[in-house]
Amino acid sequence: MNRRNLLRLAATGAALGAVTAREQQARAQVARATRGTPSPKIKDVSVIATAPAGLRLTVVKITTDQDGLYGYGCGTFTQRADLVNAAVERYLKPFLIGKPTDRIDDIWQACYNSSYWRNGPVLNNGISGVDQALWDIKGRQAGMPVYQLVGGKCREAADCYSHAAGADIPQCLDSARKLMAQGFRNIRVQVGAPGMASYGAGRADTKVKALHSGPVYEPAVQFRYSLKLLEEARKQLGEEVELLHDMHERFTPNQAVQFAKAVEPLRLFFLEDPLSPEDIAYFRQIRQQCATPTAMGELFNSPHEWTPLITERLIDYIRIHVTQAGGFTPCRKIAAMGEIFGVKTAWHGPGDVSPVGHMANATLDVVCYNFGIQEYSPFNDRVQEVFHGCPVLKDGYVYPSDSPGWGIEVDEKAAAKFPYGSGGGFGERNNLNGGWGEVRRRDGTIIKQ
């Protein structure tokens, strides 16, 4: 081989060596980019227990080993708040310390199975606090709101309904008109039965005669007043407003079927919780006999409850309390199941959900194609003093935050100003540590509530 060919070969080899070096450098850069910073580890799990609106809220805070990186999640079970807090601090915390925060589904499954006995409100709410806090951390790491992490929006905001109530029909309809003036297109209407402890409505001073001294409720009486309310609401409020009504599981199964049939001509948006979880087989009778849309699920914490209703298309809206089901992670899966079977979402959104939980609701609302409607409860000044960045309501629509994670910061000093039992106005519930008391029929029989 002559000298010219040797030089050409040497140059080619050098070029190949340079390409190989560049390739190695590029591969190293890709590996670093893919690997990113080390996965954060859980350093601490704590509970922020506060009641700025009187209801006992549980917020779980997870702190990582990376400076300034933490997240918040809602685990509110206001009727048994102290038990959830203990479950988080005494059982989940030692189980979680040192685990990587980026394995959210894996951690959910581990927590869910670690107690062996599962599908209960205490454990599920505790897991929800952890789960939502991990999603918050993930969003803060990425510099994105949670809705961007799960595929982005399907809609700009979530259409909401709010609550109109009154001790009598005129009071309730006045309340509904005020909400319509605020921009709500969907109104849940509730009315009291004279002298009785009706759900979600005022009560007249006169008490009905009974064989006991406690609150009285008679389903047949409420049946008549609620039906009359809905008839008047449709007549007086017009055809454009969407009407909803909550039966709150207080009727007998047969009465529930009758009521769903009776309101069919009034074209409700939906009839909420017509049956208790123990009686869900009766949804087959409702479906067979009328076309009234039904919504169910705020007490559900087990797949054995929601799976048959969704897969048999026995309900129109699944309205699970997200923390009760275990958090954001399982509720995305429930929504996906509902989409396949034509069941829409209507997540439970009362005052006994923290603003963090409401933000999780709003996020699910905009990322799930089969969104139906969102229950909305306003945040008073004390709540907003504790929780900075609450979901925003405009013209009857609620918007999730565009800030990283849930977009909420919790002022722990402000939270400490409102311990459990503060806020006033809850009477017996404060004496029972947030628990509900008893409601009986005239003869003394306990009713479901």
Side-chain angles (χ1 to χ4, degrees):
M1 185 178 294
N2 58 36
R3 186 171 181 272
R4 179 179 298 175
N5 289 337
L6 285 173
L7 289 173
R8 185 181 296 120
L9 183 61
T12 300
L16 289 172
V19 169
T20 301
R22 284 196 297 271
E23 286 178 347
Q24 290 175 344
Q25 185 179 17
R27 288 170 183 165
Q29 289 173 342
V30 169
R32 283 196 298 273
T34 304
R35 184 173 65 250
T37 58
S39 174
K41 301 290 194 299
I42 296 175
K43 182 179 179 181
D44 191 26
V45 182
S46 59
V47 168
I48 302 168
T50 187
L55 293 161
R56 290 156 167 76
L57 305 179
T58 294
V59 175
V60 174
K61 180 179 182 180
I62 291 182
T63 305
T64 75
D65 61 355
Q66 293 189 11
D67 201 28
L69 183 59
Y70 55 86
Y72 299 111
C74 182
T76 298
F77 176 20
T78 191
Q79 290 82 359
R80 297 293 185 269
D82 293 310
L83 296 178
V84 175
N85 301 348
V88 171
E89 293 178 327
R90 297 185 60 185
Y91 296 96
L92 292 177
K93 175 180 176 176
F95 183 73
L96 292 167
I97 297 298
K99 283 185 165 52
T101 64
D102 59 359
R103 301 184 64 173
I104 298 176
D105 203 307
D106 180 69
I107 286 177
W108 192 95
Q109 298 291 345
C111 291
Y112 177 75
N113 286 284
S114 69
S115 72
Y116 183 56
W117 279 278
R118 48 194 178 265
N119 290 323
V122 172
L123 177 65
N124 277 13
N125 276 277
I127 294 174
S128 170
V130 170
D131 176 72
Q132 292 181 29
L134 293 176
W135 278 106
D136 194 21
I137 289 169
K138 181 78 77 174
R140 291 169 186 257
Q141 274 186 288
M144 294 180 179
V146 174
Y147 72 75
Q148 291 286 21
L149 303 180
V150 292
K153 293 181 177 181
C154 292
R155 60 194 52 80
E156 299 308 312
D159 203 4
C160 295
Y161 71 90
S162 193
H163 308 151
D168 57 31
I169 291 173
Q171 283 185 17
C172 180
L173 296 184
D174 285 345
S175 175
R177 291 185 184 98
K178 291 175 183 176
L179 290 171
M180 292 168 68
Q182 295 171 26
F184 286 99
R185 293 159 295 280
N186 314 282
I187 312 288
R188 193 188 82 177
V189 290
Q190 306 292 136
V191 70
M196 292 189 180
S198 302
Y199 174 76
R203 181 171 61 183
D205 293 335
T206 305
K207 286 188 64 175
V208 299
K209 187 176 180 180
L211 302 182
H212 57 93
S213 59
V216 176
Y217 180 89
E218 284 292 339
V221 177
Q222 187 68 63
F223 186 119
R224 293 193 293 273
Y225 275 87
S226 295
L227 179 56
K228 193 171 184 179
L229 165 69
L230 289 166
E231 290 170 343
E232 286 299 313
R234 179 56 72 208
K235 184 190 304 181
Q236 295 190 36
L237 301 179
E239 296 291 332
E240 295 304 315
V241 66
E242 297 286 356
L243 297 176
L244 303 88
H245 179 70
D246 185 2
M247 295 173 67
H248 214 256
E249 307 144 1
R250 291 187 171 193
F251 290 14
T252 66
N254 183 264
Q255 287 171 325
V257 177
Q258 290 182 49
F259 193 83
K261 291 174 65 177
V263 300
E264 185 176 11
L266 303 175
R267 299 175 301 284
L268 300 190
F269 187 91
F270 66 53
L271 191 59
E272 177 180 328
D273 292 352
L275 296 161
S276 73
E278 295 84 359
D279 298 321
I280 58 177
Y282 280 88
F283 273 106
R284 295 183 179 91
Q285 286 193 28
I286 294 175
R287 190 58 109 203
Q288 289 164 1
Q289 297 193 41
C290 70
T292 298
T294 54
M296 185 67 185
E298 73 183 63
L299 293 182
F300 287 175
N301 54 46
S302 168
H304 300 299
E305 295 166 315
W306 61 71
T307 298
L309 294 186
I310 292 174
T311 58
E312 294 182 45
R313 298 178 170 91
L314 297 176
I315 58 174
D316 301 277
Y317 298 88
I318 184 71
R319 58 179 316 278
I320 281 171
H321 186 98
V322 168
T323 66
Q324 166 87 333
F328 185 79
T329 294
C331 285
R332 285 183 65 212
K333 299 175 183 179
I334 295 169
M337 178 192 291
E339 181 180 342
I340 294 170
F341 292 97
V343 176
K344 296 183 178 181
T345 66
W347 309 111
H348 192 218
D352 45 1
V353 173
S354 79
V356 178
H358 280 282
M359 193 68 80
N361 284 353
T363 300
L364 287 165
D365 294 338
V366 299
V367 302
C368 296
Y369 176 73
N370 56 320
F371 164 75
I373 200 166
Q374 178 59 56
E375 180 178 19
Y376 177 81
S377 298
F379 309 107
N380 68 20
D381 291 340
R382 294 188 301 275
V383 171
Q384 295 187 64
E385 181 184 351
V386 176
F387 298 91
H388 302 166
C390 294
V392 173
L393 181 81
K394 295 179 183 176
D395 195 28
Y397 293 99
V398 70
Y399 292 77
S401 174
D402 291 323
S403 298
W406 301 125
I408 292 179
E409 291 295 336
V410 181
D411 185 331
E412 296 190 48
K413 289 184 178 179
K417 291 164 51 179
F418 306 107
Y420 288 174
S422 64
F426 287 87
E428 185 184 28
R429 294 187 68 174
N430 277 339
N431 298 332
L432 298 174
N433 294 321
W436 284 15
E438 58 191 46
V439 179
R440 298 176 182 269
R441 300 189 65 175
R442 287 191 185 98
D443 65 4
T445 303
I446 285 284
I447 67 153
K448 296 175 181 179
Q449 53 173 327

